[in-house]
Amino acid sequence: MALPVAFFAVFFAWPVAAIVARGLKVDGVWRFGRMVDVVTEPDLRHVLWFTTWQALASTALTLLAALPAAYAFARLEFPGKQVLRAVVTVPFVLPTVVVGTAFLALLGRGGLLDELWGVRLDTTVWAILPAHVFFNYAIVVRTVGGLWAQLDPHQEEAARMLGASAARAWRKVTLPALAPAVAAAALMVFLFTFTSFGVVQILGGPTFSTVEVEIYRQTSEVFDLSTAAVLTLVQFLAVGVILAVHAWTVRRRETALRLVDASVTARRPRGAAQWALLAGVLATVAVLLVLPLAVLVSRSLDAPGFGYYRALAREDGGMFLVAPIHAITNSLQYAVAATAVALAVGGLAAAALARRDAGRVLRGFDALLMLPLGVSAVTVGFGFLIALDEPPLDLRQSWILVPLAQALVGVPFVVRTMLPVLRAVDGRLREAAAVLGASPWRVWREVDLPMVRRALLVAAGFAFAVSLGEFGATVFIARPGNPTLPVAVARLLGRPGDLNYGQAMALSTILMVVCAVALLVLERLRIDRTGEF
């Protein structure tokens, strides 16, 4: 735990504490009374209520829409499955501003629904909720489906042989085994929607505002760091309580699971029910995920002769010091470095937390690892600039600052993906290997690693995807000469003119293609030629 603790202390706790202190400390005196004033203000209480309500609704809708797909990917074998898995994951890595813009093109003025039926949903919550489901669909599919694919189906079949109905066998056998993964997925969805920024800002208009949007507004528009610091603390405390309760619940539900080779659990659909479920999943993916992506591609091709794509190679000498197309190389380099950091930190933390003899303090760190997902990315970005500006950690001019910020968001995904599988490994296997003379390192290499290899690859894919799409903190620390794809898209969207908008759509399309190819390669690599993980 030494490396994970040091990493989070230096690159998370210190920057967040620095920005909060800057907002609540005036002339060397702490103004804690400001917290009461902010929390009791009617407008801000409405922000807190709406933030919580929409996050709960978004989480419930995401689970409802994505759990059938998790089953289909885990238990059914059908042509194009690996390509479809990559397609499902692509929306998650898109910058939130692009997701909001895509749904605005579908649901806003002049959008698809407006053209066909005269229906507009922008500036309403009914545009925000489907956009959140679009963005977080892959979390449930990858997290729950990854574990579901490794559950032994014979346990449920045994319950059916003993007289249980299909529904009761699933509720009594499969659901308890999936509970840790479902809880982890629901938590991640809740945190991402609780801290939603770009989607709410674009689709909600002036009517709706989450805590994250309000922190940005207070920081960048009103320049009220005191109010922004209070909102950051409220968000931080709320997320901390939720994570502590979640960690306690997950530990009580987790049991030793019987994991099998995932390649033998998936079969071709049998019966009308499975074919109907697969058809429903494909229809949901087509309408909810593919249609918004198709809108982005269509908008990027509006200029004749791929004009928007050709314009990416030109330097305008204003917003960027380099041509926007260089953002692609920058993003890939940053994402690879961030993935390596996230796997090192998250893998060590998951291995330590999975130990049966882990103490209460160590288990409590499980919840703390999730805090970067619930703390304002705006706060983290500003905190990096304020805290990491003096020797020996003056990193403001270093390229490593961006991967470090991206890795903060990737580590929780690594931990949450690997921890349920590590805890499910039978401890007697490790003990037997140790009795036979294996060193602790060899026990890990020969016993744990083969069982968690798939989870490790899935974690790497998540960390890479999150790094590519991270925007909130990166927008403050990416230098003009080395912008990332999300930062470049946001800056182009912020400038008037059809050319800038078209270039933003073109960069977004390139980001989608890069992520789809990377995820498809990951799906190919995680299965060897014998079909085994």
Side-chain angles (χ1 to χ4, degrees), residues 61 88 117 144 148 159 178-179 248 288 306 326 329 344 354 359 363-364 403 411 442 511 524-525:
L61 290 174
V88 164
W117 299 293
V144 179
W148 206 337
L178 288 176
W248 176 80
L288 182 64
F306 299 96
H326 288 291
T329 304
R363 291 196 301 267
V411 168
R442 187 175 182 186
L511 176 59
R524 293 286 186 183
L525 291 178

PDB file of all heavy atoms in Angstrom, residues 61 88 117 144 148 159 178-179 248 288 306 326 329 344 354 359 363-364 403 411 442 511 524-525:
ATOM      1  N   LEU A  61     -31.933   4.115 -14.497  1.00  0.00           N
ATOM      2  CA  LEU A  61     -32.192   3.916 -15.928  1.00  0.00           C
ATOM      3  C   LEU A  61     -31.036   3.199 -16.614  1.00  0.00           C
ATOM      4  O   LEU A  61     -31.255   2.366 -17.502  1.00  0.00           O
ATOM      5  CB  LEU A  61     -32.447   5.265 -16.594  1.00  0.00           C
ATOM      6  CG  LEU A  61     -33.766   5.960 -16.237  1.00  0.00           C
ATOM      7  CD1 LEU A  61     -33.815   7.347 -16.862  1.00  0.00           C
ATOM      8  CD2 LEU A  61     -34.957   5.131 -16.691  1.00  0.00           C
ATOM      9  N   VAL A  88     -20.031  -0.454 -27.882  1.00  0.00           N
ATOM     10  CA  VAL A  88     -20.706  -0.122 -26.629  1.00  0.00           C
ATOM     11  C   VAL A  88     -19.809   0.722 -25.728  1.00  0.00           C
ATOM     12  O   VAL A  88     -20.286   1.604 -25.003  1.00  0.00           O
ATOM     13  CB  VAL A  88     -21.139  -1.422 -25.913  1.00  0.00           C
ATOM     14  CG1 VAL A  88     -21.492  -1.157 -24.465  1.00  0.00           C
ATOM     15  CG2 VAL A  88     -22.317  -2.043 -26.636  1.00  0.00           C
ATOM     16  N   TRP A 117     -40.977  15.210 -35.849  1.00  0.00           N
ATOM     17  CA  TRP A 117     -42.251  15.312 -35.134  1.00  0.00           C
ATOM     18  C   TRP A 117     -42.464  16.650 -34.428  1.00  0.00           C
ATOM     19  O   TRP A 117     -43.444  16.821 -33.725  1.00  0.00           O
ATOM     20  CB  TRP A 117     -42.356  14.177 -34.107  1.00  0.00           C
ATOM     21  CG  TRP A 117     -42.309  12.814 -34.730  1.00  0.00           C
ATOM     22  CD1 TRP A 117     -43.248  12.257 -35.555  1.00  0.00           C
ATOM     23  CD2 TRP A 117     -41.273  11.845 -34.597  1.00  0.00           C
ATOM     24  NE1 TRP A 117     -42.862  11.002 -35.935  1.00  0.00           N
ATOM     25  CE2 TRP A 117     -41.645  10.703 -35.360  1.00  0.00           C
ATOM     26  CE3 TRP A 117     -40.072  11.805 -33.898  1.00  0.00           C
ATOM     27  CZ2 TRP A 117     -40.860   9.581 -35.451  1.00  0.00           C
ATOM     28  CZ3 TRP A 117     -39.280  10.674 -33.980  1.00  0.00           C
ATOM     29  CH2 TRP A 117     -39.672   9.583 -34.744  1.00  0.00           C
ATOM     30  N   VAL A 144     -20.292  -5.670 -14.926  1.00  0.00           N
ATOM     31  CA  VAL A 144     -21.160  -6.800 -14.563  1.00  0.00           C
ATOM     32  C   VAL A 144     -20.963  -7.956 -15.540  1.00  0.00           C
ATOM     33  O   VAL A 144     -20.867  -9.121 -15.130  1.00  0.00           O
ATOM     34  CB  VAL A 144     -22.632  -6.348 -14.533  1.00  0.00           C
ATOM     35  CG1 VAL A 144     -23.541  -7.530 -14.181  1.00  0.00           C
ATOM     36  CG2 VAL A 144     -22.823  -5.221 -13.526  1.00  0.00           C
ATOM     37  N   TRP A 148     -20.016 -11.873 -14.835  1.00  0.00           N
ATOM     38  CA  TRP A 148     -21.096 -12.801 -15.210  1.00  0.00           C
ATOM     39  C   TRP A 148     -20.577 -13.874 -16.156  1.00  0.00           C
ATOM     40  O   TRP A 148     -20.975 -15.038 -16.072  1.00  0.00           O
ATOM     41  CB  TRP A 148     -22.210 -12.016 -15.875  1.00  0.00           C
ATOM     42  CG  TRP A 148     -23.579 -12.641 -15.755  1.00  0.00           C
ATOM     43  CD1 TRP A 148     -23.862 -13.941 -15.533  1.00  0.00           C
ATOM     44  CD2 TRP A 148     -24.828 -11.956 -15.833  1.00  0.00           C
ATOM     45  NE1 TRP A 148     -25.215 -14.134 -15.484  1.00  0.00           N
ATOM     46  CE2 TRP A 148     -25.836 -12.930 -15.663  1.00  0.00           C
ATOM     47  CE3 TRP A 148     -25.191 -10.638 -16.054  1.00  0.00           C
ATOM     48  CZ2 TRP A 148     -27.199 -12.601 -15.695  1.00  0.00           C
ATOM     49  CZ3 TRP A 148     -26.538 -10.313 -16.086  1.00  0.00           C
ATOM     50  CH2 TRP A 148     -27.519 -11.283 -15.902  1.00  0.00           C
ATOM     51  N   ALA A 159     -30.002 -25.545  -9.433  1.00  0.00           N
ATOM     52  CA  ALA A 159     -31.202 -25.022  -8.771  1.00  0.00           C
ATOM     53  C   ALA A 159     -32.457 -25.324  -9.589  1.00  0.00           C
ATOM     54  O   ALA A 159     -33.512 -25.643  -9.033  1.00  0.00           O
ATOM     55  CB  ALA A 159     -31.050 -23.517  -8.555  1.00  0.00           C
ATOM     56  N   LEU A 178     -23.522 -11.846  -8.393  1.00  0.00           N
ATOM     57  CA  LEU A 178     -23.276 -10.644  -9.173  1.00  0.00           C
ATOM     58  C   LEU A 178     -23.380  -9.365  -8.349  1.00  0.00           C
ATOM     59  O   LEU A 178     -23.002  -8.293  -8.833  1.00  0.00           O
ATOM     60  CB  LEU A 178     -24.287 -10.547 -10.326  1.00  0.00           C
ATOM     61  CG  LEU A 178     -24.132 -11.523 -11.487  1.00  0.00           C
ATOM     62  CD1 LEU A 178     -25.279 -11.342 -12.467  1.00  0.00           C
ATOM     63  CD2 LEU A 178     -22.800 -11.322 -12.193  1.00  0.00           C
ATOM     64  N   ALA A 179     -23.892  -9.468  -7.129  1.00  0.00           N
ATOM     65  CA  ALA A 179     -24.166  -8.264  -6.337  1.00  0.00           C
ATOM     66  C   ALA A 179     -22.957  -7.339  -6.200  1.00  0.00           C
ATOM     67  O   ALA A 179     -23.104  -6.118  -6.335  1.00  0.00           O
ATOM     68  CB  ALA A 179     -24.706  -8.653  -4.959  1.00  0.00           C
ATOM     69  N   TRP A 248     -18.740  -1.133   2.900  1.00  0.00           N
ATOM     70  CA  TRP A 248     -19.223  -2.040   3.952  1.00  0.00           C
ATOM     71  C   TRP A 248     -20.213  -3.046   3.381  1.00  0.00           C
ATOM     72  O   TRP A 248     -20.169  -4.242   3.693  1.00  0.00           O
ATOM     73  CB  TRP A 248     -19.877  -1.223   5.056  1.00  0.00           C
ATOM     74  CG  TRP A 248     -20.491  -2.046   6.143  1.00  0.00           C
ATOM     75  CD1 TRP A 248     -19.864  -2.646   7.194  1.00  0.00           C
ATOM     76  CD2 TRP A 248     -21.886  -2.369   6.284  1.00  0.00           C
ATOM     77  NE1 TRP A 248     -20.764  -3.314   7.979  1.00  0.00           N
ATOM     78  CE2 TRP A 248     -22.012  -3.160   7.444  1.00  0.00           C
ATOM     79  CE3 TRP A 248     -23.029  -2.052   5.540  1.00  0.00           C
ATOM     80  CZ2 TRP A 248     -23.248  -3.639   7.875  1.00  0.00           C
ATOM     81  CZ3 TRP A 248     -24.256  -2.526   5.972  1.00  0.00           C
ATOM     82  CH2 TRP A 248     -24.354  -3.317   7.123  1.00  0.00           C
ATOM     83  N   LEU A 288     -29.903   4.019 -28.866  1.00  0.00           N
ATOM     84  CA  LEU A 288     -29.337   4.816 -27.783  1.00  0.00           C
ATOM     85  C   LEU A 288     -27.878   5.179 -28.010  1.00  0.00           C
ATOM     86  O   LEU A 288     -27.448   6.283 -27.637  1.00  0.00           O
ATOM     87  CB  LEU A 288     -29.472   4.049 -26.462  1.00  0.00           C
ATOM     88  CG  LEU A 288     -28.970   4.762 -25.199  1.00  0.00           C
ATOM     89  CD1 LEU A 288     -29.786   6.009 -24.928  1.00  0.00           C
ATOM     90  CD2 LEU A 288     -29.010   3.821 -24.007  1.00  0.00           C
ATOM     91  N   PHE A 306     -14.275  16.257 -47.540  1.00  0.00           N
ATOM     92  CA  PHE A 306     -13.667  16.096 -46.206  1.00  0.00           C
ATOM     93  C   PHE A 306     -12.997  17.407 -45.752  1.00  0.00           C
ATOM     94  O   PHE A 306     -11.904  17.412 -45.189  1.00  0.00           O
ATOM     95  CB  PHE A 306     -12.635  14.965 -46.198  1.00  0.00           C
ATOM     96  CG  PHE A 306     -13.207  13.622 -46.541  1.00  0.00           C
ATOM     97  CD1 PHE A 306     -13.131  13.141 -47.842  1.00  0.00           C
ATOM     98  CD2 PHE A 306     -13.831  12.857 -45.579  1.00  0.00           C
ATOM     99  CE1 PHE A 306     -13.673  11.905 -48.175  1.00  0.00           C
ATOM    100  CE2 PHE A 306     -14.380  11.618 -45.903  1.00  0.00           C
ATOM    101  CZ  PHE A 306     -14.297  11.141 -47.202  1.00  0.00           C
ATOM    102  N   HIS A 326      -2.463  17.447 -34.124  1.00  0.00           N
ATOM    103  CA  HIS A 326      -1.434  16.968 -33.196  1.00  0.00           C
ATOM    104  C   HIS A 326      -2.032  16.518 -31.868  1.00  0.00           C
ATOM    105  O   HIS A 326      -1.369  15.829 -31.094  1.00  0.00           O
ATOM    106  CB  HIS A 326      -0.387  18.049 -32.964  1.00  0.00           C
ATOM    107  CG  HIS A 326       0.516  18.293 -34.132  1.00  0.00           C
ATOM    108  ND1 HIS A 326       1.456  17.386 -34.553  1.00  0.00           N
ATOM    109  CD2 HIS A 326       0.606  19.341 -34.991  1.00  0.00           C
ATOM    110  CE1 HIS A 326       2.104  17.859 -35.608  1.00  0.00           C
ATOM    111  NE2 HIS A 326       1.608  19.050 -35.895  1.00  0.00           N
ATOM    112  N   THR A 329      -1.921  12.580 -31.442  1.00  0.00           N
ATOM    113  CA  THR A 329      -0.677  11.984 -30.923  1.00  0.00           C
ATOM    114  C   THR A 329      -0.505  12.287 -29.446  1.00  0.00           C
ATOM    115  O   THR A 329      -0.123  11.402 -28.659  1.00  0.00           O
ATOM    116  CB  THR A 329       0.529  12.527 -31.712  1.00  0.00           C
ATOM    117  OG1 THR A 329       0.335  12.267 -33.103  1.00  0.00           O
ATOM    118  CG2 THR A 329       1.812  11.857 -31.254  1.00  0.00           C
ATOM    119  N   ALA A 344      -0.221   0.256 -12.203  1.00  0.00           N
ATOM    120  CA  ALA A 344       0.744   0.043 -11.121  1.00  0.00           C
ATOM    121  C   ALA A 344       0.131   0.389  -9.773  1.00  0.00           C
ATOM    122  O   ALA A 344       0.193  -0.406  -8.822  1.00  0.00           O
ATOM    123  CB  ALA A 344       1.998   0.878 -11.372  1.00  0.00           C
ATOM    124  N   ALA A 354      -7.386  -7.164  -1.217  1.00  0.00           N
ATOM    125  CA  ALA A 354      -7.990  -8.482  -1.383  1.00  0.00           C
ATOM    126  C   ALA A 354      -7.572  -9.472  -0.309  1.00  0.00           C
ATOM    127  O   ALA A 354      -8.165 -10.543  -0.195  1.00  0.00           O
ATOM    128  CB  ALA A 354      -7.633  -9.041  -2.762  1.00  0.00           C
ATOM    129  N   GLY A 359      -6.605  -5.266   7.673  1.00  0.00           N
ATOM    130  CA  GLY A 359      -7.179  -4.607   8.830  1.00  0.00           C
ATOM    131  C   GLY A 359      -8.259  -3.619   8.452  1.00  0.00           C
ATOM    132  O   GLY A 359      -8.498  -3.320   7.283  1.00  0.00           O
ATOM    133  N   ARG A 363      -8.962  -1.671   4.926  1.00  0.00           N
ATOM    134  CA  ARG A 363     -10.219  -1.822   4.201  1.00  0.00           C
ATOM    135  C   ARG A 363     -10.898  -0.477   3.977  1.00  0.00           C
ATOM    136  O   ARG A 363     -11.572  -0.265   2.985  1.00  0.00           O
ATOM    137  CB  ARG A 363     -11.154  -2.775   4.957  1.00  0.00           C
ATOM    138  CG  ARG A 363     -10.685  -4.228   4.964  1.00  0.00           C
ATOM    139  CD  ARG A 363     -11.819  -5.158   5.362  1.00  0.00           C
ATOM    140  NE  ARG A 363     -12.337  -4.822   6.690  1.00  0.00           N
ATOM    141  CZ  ARG A 363     -11.924  -5.382   7.811  1.00  0.00           C
ATOM    142  NH1 ARG A 363     -10.959  -6.296   7.789  1.00  0.00           N
ATOM    143  NH2 ARG A 363     -12.450  -5.042   8.967  1.00  0.00           N
ATOM    144  N   GLY A 364     -10.726   0.446   4.919  1.00  0.00           N
ATOM    145  CA  GLY A 364     -11.291   1.774   4.737  1.00  0.00           C
ATOM    146  C   GLY A 364     -10.677   2.512   3.577  1.00  0.00           C
ATOM    147  O   GLY A 364     -11.328   3.376   2.961  1.00  0.00           O
ATOM    148  N   PRO A 403      -0.768  13.067 -17.607  1.00  0.00           N
ATOM    149  CA  PRO A 403      -1.019  11.654 -17.292  1.00  0.00           C
ATOM    150  C   PRO A 403      -1.313  11.397 -15.819  1.00  0.00           C
ATOM    151  O   PRO A 403      -2.109  10.508 -15.495  1.00  0.00           O
ATOM    152  CB  PRO A 403       0.283  10.962 -17.730  1.00  0.00           C
ATOM    153  CG  PRO A 403       0.871  11.851 -18.751  1.00  0.00           C
ATOM    154  CD  PRO A 403       0.506  13.240 -18.328  1.00  0.00           C
ATOM    155  N   VAL A 411      -7.342   4.925 -11.751  1.00  0.00           N
ATOM    156  CA  VAL A 411      -7.052   3.999 -10.644  1.00  0.00           C
ATOM    157  C   VAL A 411      -8.320   3.382 -10.058  1.00  0.00           C
ATOM    158  O   VAL A 411      -8.379   2.162  -9.829  1.00  0.00           O
ATOM    159  CB  VAL A 411      -6.216   4.702  -9.562  1.00  0.00           C
ATOM    160  CG1 VAL A 411      -6.156   3.855  -8.289  1.00  0.00           C
ATOM    161  CG2 VAL A 411      -4.806   4.960 -10.073  1.00  0.00           C
ATOM    162  N   ARG A 442       6.127 -15.857  -6.585  1.00  0.00           N
ATOM    163  CA  ARG A 442       5.754 -16.949  -7.482  1.00  0.00           C
ATOM    164  C   ARG A 442       4.294 -17.366  -7.261  1.00  0.00           C
ATOM    165  O   ARG A 442       3.609 -17.747  -8.212  1.00  0.00           O
ATOM    166  CB  ARG A 442       6.679 -18.143  -7.268  1.00  0.00           C
ATOM    167  CG  ARG A 442       6.451 -19.250  -8.295  1.00  0.00           C
ATOM    168  CD  ARG A 442       7.438 -20.389  -8.189  1.00  0.00           C
ATOM    169  NE  ARG A 442       7.201 -21.373  -9.221  1.00  0.00           N
ATOM    170  CZ  ARG A 442       7.841 -22.535  -9.311  1.00  0.00           C
ATOM    171  NH1 ARG A 442       8.807 -22.827  -8.440  1.00  0.00           N
ATOM    172  NH2 ARG A 442       7.558 -23.375 -10.283  1.00  0.00           N
ATOM    173  N   LEU A 511     -11.589  10.511 -32.484  1.00  0.00           N
ATOM    174  CA  LEU A 511     -11.495   9.934 -31.142  1.00  0.00           C
ATOM    175  C   LEU A 511     -12.305   8.656 -31.034  1.00  0.00           C
ATOM    176  O   LEU A 511     -11.850   7.661 -30.452  1.00  0.00           O
ATOM    177  CB  LEU A 511     -11.971  10.966 -30.114  1.00  0.00           C
ATOM    178  CG  LEU A 511     -12.032  10.510 -28.648  1.00  0.00           C
ATOM    179  CD1 LEU A 511     -10.663  10.049 -28.167  1.00  0.00           C
ATOM    180  CD2 LEU A 511     -12.559  11.630 -27.773  1.00  0.00           C
ATOM    181  N   ARG A 524      -9.378  -8.779 -28.848  1.00  0.00           N
ATOM    182  CA  ARG A 524      -8.687  -9.862 -29.563  1.00  0.00           C
ATOM    183  C   ARG A 524      -7.553 -10.435 -28.721  1.00  0.00           C
ATOM    184  O   ARG A 524      -7.348 -11.649 -28.680  1.00  0.00           O
ATOM    185  CB  ARG A 524      -8.125  -9.333 -30.876  1.00  0.00           C
ATOM    186  CG  ARG A 524      -9.179  -8.942 -31.892  1.00  0.00           C
ATOM    187  CD  ARG A 524      -9.826 -10.168 -32.502  1.00  0.00           C
ATOM    188  NE  ARG A 524     -10.736  -9.795 -33.582  1.00  0.00           N
ATOM    189  CZ  ARG A 524     -11.473 -10.662 -34.256  1.00  0.00           C
ATOM    190  NH1 ARG A 524     -11.399 -11.944 -33.973  1.00  0.00           N
ATOM    191  NH2 ARG A 524     -12.286 -10.252 -35.210  1.00  0.00           N
ATOM    192  N   LEU A 525      -6.812  -9.568 -28.058  1.00  0.00           N
ATOM    193  CA  LEU A 525      -5.636 -10.014 -27.313  1.00  0.00           C
ATOM    194  C   LEU A 525      -5.999 -10.803 -26.064  1.00  0.00           C
ATOM    195  O   LEU A 525      -5.234 -11.654 -25.625  1.00  0.00           O
ATOM    196  CB  LEU A 525      -4.775  -8.814 -26.920  1.00  0.00           C
ATOM    197  CG  LEU A 525      -4.055  -8.091 -28.059  1.00  0.00           C
ATOM    198  CD1 LEU A 525      -3.286  -6.890 -27.515  1.00  0.00           C
ATOM    199  CD2 LEU A 525      -3.118  -9.037 -28.785  1.00  0.00           C
TER     200      LEU A 525
END
